[in-house]
Amino acid sequence: MLNVLRIANLSLLILFPIAWFAPLMRAGLLPLFGLNEISVITGMQALWESDVALALLVTAFALFAPYLKTIGIALVHFNLLKDNTIPVLSWIGKLAMADVFLIALYIVTFKGVGIGKVETGWGLYMFTGCILASIVISALTPKAKATV
């Protein structure tokens, strides 16, 4: 069981960066014009130009929190970090789920205004899946480590 969790967790080190560059949504002002693809990275680039404080917050939650948690869990899996750090790592990883909620909220709000058009992209599902997989892996890790 622990080996499966190790492989799943290490795969997140590859999947998270893919999810950051994948299209979360396609948005446009009017249906007549083409839709622009928005990813975590392009969204953060736009934030850095307009609101540095919010950009720092999003960078911390969308990039650093899930990646640090994944690295921390990998260190626990290979006995390079103590098991009692798992609750802290789990808490850090849940911060990233706030990003998924905000993205969904923006999509619903934008669609509700009715001025433009928004379509969800496959990257939103991938990013959400990575976050949820990370939460499940950290929840199962103590049980798997106890059986070893």
Side-chain angles (χ1 to χ4, degrees):
M1 172 77 164
L2 185 58
N3 285 334
V4 172
L5 291 176
R6 283 178 180 166
I7 292 167
N9 190 58
L10 291 175
S11 69
L12 288 175
L13 293 174
I14 297 167
L15 294 174
F16 269 123
I18 293 170
W20 296 332
F21 288 93
L24 297 173
M25 64 182 108
R26 288 177 281 296
L29 188 57
L30 295 172
L32 301 174
F33 301 108
L35 299 177
N36 293 327
E37 288 190 343
I38 300 167
S39 68
V40 171
I41 298 299
T42 60
M44 285 193 317
Q45 287 172 337
L47 275 177
W48 280 105
E49 294 172 6
S50 62
D51 191 343
V52 175
L54 186 58
L56 284 170
L57 195 63
V58 170
T59 301
F61 286 167
L63 300 181
F64 295 133
Y67 218 67
L68 284 173
K69 177 192 174 190
T70 303
I71 292 169
I73 292 293
L75 293 173
V76 169
H77 285 164
F78 291 101
N79 297 318
L80 299 172
L81 192 63
K82 293 183 180 180
D83 292 352
N84 59 0
T85 59
I86 294 173
V88 174
L89 294 171
S90 294
W91 181 79
I92 290 170
K94 289 177 186 167
L95 292 175
M97 201 61 209
D99 274 355
V100 173
F101 172 74
L102 287 175
I103 293 166
L105 184 65
Y106 293 146
I107 290 171
V108 168
T109 302
F110 196 74
K111 281 186 173 184
V113 172
I115 296 173
K117 183 175 181 178
V118 177
E119 298 173 354
T120 56
W122 62 271
L124 178 62
Y125 300 107
M126 183 174 187
F127 185 59
T128 303
C130 287
I131 298 296
L132 292 175
S134 178
I135 290 170
V136 169
I137 290 167
S138 63
L140 295 176
T141 293
K143 294 173 189 169
K145 296 257 322 170
T147 61
V148 174

